[in-house]
Amino acid sequence: MGDNPEDCPVCLTTYDDALRRAYTMPCGHSLCSRCIDGLRDRSHVTCPSCRVRHAVPEGLQFHLSYTPEAFIKRLNLTVAAESAAAASLPPKDLGGQWTGIGGRQWEAAGLSPSVLFLLQEQEAKILAAISTCQEIHAQLDEYQTTLAGWCQQQQWLENGLQKVIDESHSARMLVLQDESRAVAKKEETKERERHLHAALEALRRVTSAQEALPAIDDANHSTDEAEQRAGECREMFPDVVVAAAARKTMDESTAAMEAAKQVWIAQETSASAIKEPRHQPPAWTITEKLKDMLAQPNLTQAEDLHSTTRPSIWLLLAQRVFAMHQVEGRHRFARITIEDDRLFLHALQDLSLPLGAAKLQLSEVVPACPPCLVFLDLCWPASMHQRVIIRLSPDTPMARQFVLLCSGERGPSYANTRLWGVGDKGLPGERLWFGDYENNDGTGGAALLPNLSKGKYQKSASAGALWGTWQWGGRTRGAQFGITTRDRVGGVWSDVFGEVVEGMNCLRAAINHSDITEVIVVDCGVILKRQ
């Protein structure tokens, strides 16, 4: 671009008040009338100065820049007068047929009108080509930005796959260690069995009272030691951590492979459409053509989410379905995934959506009130993610609040909170405490809804009961809750508003972890009903 404000930034020719008048675009920068005429077949123009893209109005009705035009005319007259005075020549009228650098040279050369017409025609073609180059430059900028986004998304996917591989490797190491322990115990058991056979043979060979007493003592010792070893094996095997880790990683790996398989199948069917895109208008930009080539089936309403048609299943398996909700003035998104023919809506997060993502309103998919199913995904060091599924009872404010804190609809959620306490560990009535989304230590967790104590709460002494702790220890903790992991004896829990239907083994394993505060709710959400 030139540094002279009196020149058009495209053709670098000085503005005048005849053939090259200055027209102002919405961004404030100007083009000459010749370059504006070159846009008649275009729907958009990119400003060569600031790269802002503008729609070309009907009839090319950009506004004339009268003030700059008058200023430039006066400037040109002044320059011409100074030049003429220096050369002892009278100033020439610059408001006539001179149209810039080329125009001045052609005028001075005294070329014929036909030659001037040909020169001007070629000049217009060159200026149009310059404008085209600038337009393509802007479109390639947009495409480069898109490619950078794809690279970032691919890196995110690779990191996710690597996480699955790492978890699978850790689980395999746990399995191998437990296998080694089992082999060692198996050898010990065989050795005990040999001792028992020897003791049995000694008993059978007894022929006198003197021989009987030592044989009986040896038999008692061998029997007691064998029973002790057998008890140790029963306590050691199967290891709940190893079994849970193996099952979790196998499920995750199988699900990942199945999802990848479905995506491959879907891409096989759509590959020809991508390789041979439909006929496109010649005026389409690079970005518009790209969007058309990558166009994929989308969801238009909540009912489509529950459809078993190929597009909706493909989008769910590819994890491209999101629920959208505005929280505190900004949009947040919740992933919707499919596992075991159930739809899981995960807690709202600040996410960048992948290309071709389908969006639905959160209010369209989340149940207005219980009964419904929610889930908590727990994890702690040396363990895999394990899921706890809870059925919430109807007609209680605490259950309605629990849905809000699992979805994050009001802002806070149970995601990334810690378990902070255990009661009566190993005894009847054993229980866990969760839900301090503010302080993560049992001192916070303000209520989201009023009048939590009013509702049709139940009473239960059974393991798996979910109960509220909104007023406990002299403090109000409206969002906190407890889950019973062993049946209670001699009493019941009141204020019960739900029950664990899957994942009790996960909760009991969490209690046995050395530090309960290392157990984290890494994710949570609501299970959506299939129609």
Side-chain angles (χ1 to χ4, degrees):
M1 296 298 172
D3 295 326
N4 300 320
E6 67 272 17
D7 293 342
C8 172
V10 176
C11 64
L12 305 180
T13 304
T14 303
Y15 297 118
D16 58 37
D17 59 356
L19 297 180
R20 295 192 182 276
R21 305 186 70 181
Y23 282 85
T24 301
M25 293 180 290
C27 62
H29 296 106
S30 301
L31 292 178
C32 73
S33 53
R34 280 290 184 91
C35 294
I36 286 289
D37 288 341
L39 304 174
R40 291 188 181 279
D41 296 331
R42 300 178 183 273
S43 59
H44 294 83
V45 58
T46 299
C47 175
S49 299
C50 64
R51 315 304 301 169
V52 174
R53 195 160 176 253
H54 307 292
V56 176
E58 293 184 8
L60 300 176
Q61 294 302 314
F62 288 114
H63 297 292
L64 274 170
S65 302
Y66 294 107
T67 301
E69 185 176 89
F71 173 76
I72 292 167
K73 182 177 180 180
R74 177 176 293 181
L75 178 64
N76 288 341
L77 288 171
T78 301
V79 172
E82 291 176 351
S83 300
S88 300
L89 294 173
K92 191 164 185 177
D93 181 13
L94 298 184
Q97 298 300 315
W98 284 3
T99 58
I101 297 173
R104 293 192 186 103
Q105 293 176 345
W106 300 336
E107 185 78 14
L111 299 175
S112 66
S114 60
V115 174
L116 284 173
F117 175 78
L118 292 174
L119 290 172
Q120 290 172 351
E121 185 178 32
Q122 291 303 314
E123 180 188 35
K125 289 181 179 180
I126 292 175
L127 293 177
I130 291 173
S131 179
T132 299
C133 290
Q134 293 173 343
E135 186 74 20
I136 293 297
H137 183 274
Q139 293 174 22
L140 289 174
D141 277 346
E142 294 182 38
Y143 185 47
Q144 184 179 4
T145 302
T146 300
L147 293 174
W150 287 354
C151 286
Q152 185 178 8
Q153 183 182 349
Q154 285 298 130
Q155 184 63 58
W156 179 80
L157 291 172
E158 288 178 19
N159 292 342
L161 292 173
Q162 188 61 49
K163 183 179 178 182
V164 173
I165 293 172
D166 291 343
E167 290 180 348
S168 178
H169 177 75
S170 299
R172 187 163 60 86
M173 291 299 101
L174 286 174
V175 170
L176 288 174
Q177 291 173 11
D178 219 36
E179 184 181 14
S180 298
R181 289 199 307 156
V183 169
K185 287 297 179 183
K186 184 178 176 182
E187 290 300 321
E188 289 183 13
T189 303
K190 287 182 178 179
E191 184 63 24
R192 288 298 98 207
E193 186 179 355
R194 284 194 289 269
H195 287 170
L196 289 171
H197 279 294
L200 179 61
E201 290 297 322
L203 281 175
R204 290 175 176 174
R205 287 196 302 268
V206 169
T207 58
S208 66
Q210 290 80 2
E211 295 177 352
L213 290 176
I216 291 172
D217 287 341
D218 185 49
N220 283 333
H221 177 74
S222 297
T223 303
D224 291 342
E225 189 168 354
E227 289 178 352
Q228 181 183 351
R229 299 299 183 187
E232 290 176 358
C233 288
R234 293 191 188 97
E235 290 181 0
M236 291 177 62
F237 305 105
D239 189 307
V240 64
V241 173
V242 174
R247 172 62 185 275
K248 181 67 175 177
T249 53
M250 284 190 288
D251 288 348
E252 286 182 346
S253 302
T254 302
M257 291 297 295
E258 183 61 28
K261 180 180 177 181
Q262 294 297 328
V263 171
W264 294 333
I265 294 173
Q267 288 178 338
E268 287 281 335
T269 61
S270 60
S272 60
I274 295 177
K275 292 176 183 177
E276 300 177 9
R278 65 181 178 85
H279 177 71
Q280 301 151 344
W284 271 24
T285 66
I286 294 173
T287 303
E288 289 168 338
K289 290 175 66 177
L290 178 65
K291 289 180 179 179
D292 180 65
M293 285 189 287
L294 298 180
Q296 294 170 354
N298 211 333
L299 301 180
T300 57
Q301 54 186 352
E303 287 77 7
D304 294 339
L305 181 65
H306 304 285
S307 170
T308 56
T309 59
R310 187 185 194 90
S312 62
I313 293 296
W314 187 92
L315 287 168
L316 287 165
L317 289 172
Q319 296 195 11
R320 294 190 179 184
V321 182
F322 296 83
M324 179 175 62
H325 185 65
Q326 188 168 346
V327 182
E328 298 176 351
R330 70 180 190 277
H331 280 99
R332 305 183 75 198
F333 300 93
R335 292 183 300 119
I336 299 178
T337 59
I338 183 169
E339 301 175 37
D340 299 328
D341 200 37
R342 290 193 291 192
L343 297 177
F344 291 83
L345 179 133
H346 301 257
L348 288 162
Q349 301 179 57
D350 296 316
L351 298 174
S352 296
L353 299 189
L355 186 70
K359 294 179 289 186
L360 298 166
Q361 290 296 327
L362 185 73
S363 57
E364 294 184 66
V365 294
V366 174
C369 61
C372 62
L373 295 176
V374 295
F375 68 92
L376 305 172
D377 287 347
L378 306 185
C379 185
W380 57 92
S383 82
M384 310 303 297
H385 294 185
Q386 301 180 54
R387 179 160 291 173
V388 177
I389 297 179
I390 300 169
R391 178 181 291 109
L392 299 177
S393 305
D395 301 326
T396 62
M398 195 73 181
R400 291 194 291 273
Q401 176 180 261
F402 206 88
V403 174
L404 295 176
L405 283 163
C406 283
S407 67
E409 186 174 347
R410 295 285 182 91
S413 77
Y414 288 134
N416 299 316
T417 60
R418 298 178 181 275
L419 277 65
W420 62 266
V422 177
D424 294 332
K425 183 174 179 178
L427 302 174
E430 178 186 75
R431 55 203 176 275
L432 288 164
W433 284 299
F434 302 68
D436 184 356
Y437 66 84
E438 292 178 311
N439 303 328
N440 260 334
D441 60 5
T443 63
L448 301 187
L449 298 179
N451 303 319
L452 291 179
S453 60
K454 296 180 180 179
K456 296 181 180 179
Y457 292 95
Q458 303 170 5
K459 295 182 179 181
S460 174
S462 301
L466 172 72
W467 37 276
T469 62
W470 50 82
Q471 282 189 336
W472 184 62
R475 288 192 291 262
T476 300
R477 303 165 171 176
Q480 293 194 35
F481 61 93
I483 296 180
T484 308
T485 52
R486 292 178 185 266
D487 293 345
R488 192 175 185 183
V489 178
V492 296
W493 299 111
S494 57
D495 307 321
V496 172
F497 62 94
E499 63 174 336
V500 175
V501 294
E502 294 181 30
M504 284 300 299
N505 287 338
C506 165
L507 295 174
R508 293 184 179 121
I511 282 182
N512 290 326
H513 184 63
S514 57
D515 184 358
I516 194 64
T517 62
E518 290 184 342
V519 181
I520 300 175
V521 180
V522 292
D523 197 6
C524 57
V526 183
I527 300 178
L528 309 179
K529 291 182 179 179
R530 298 300 302 269
Q531 296 178 343

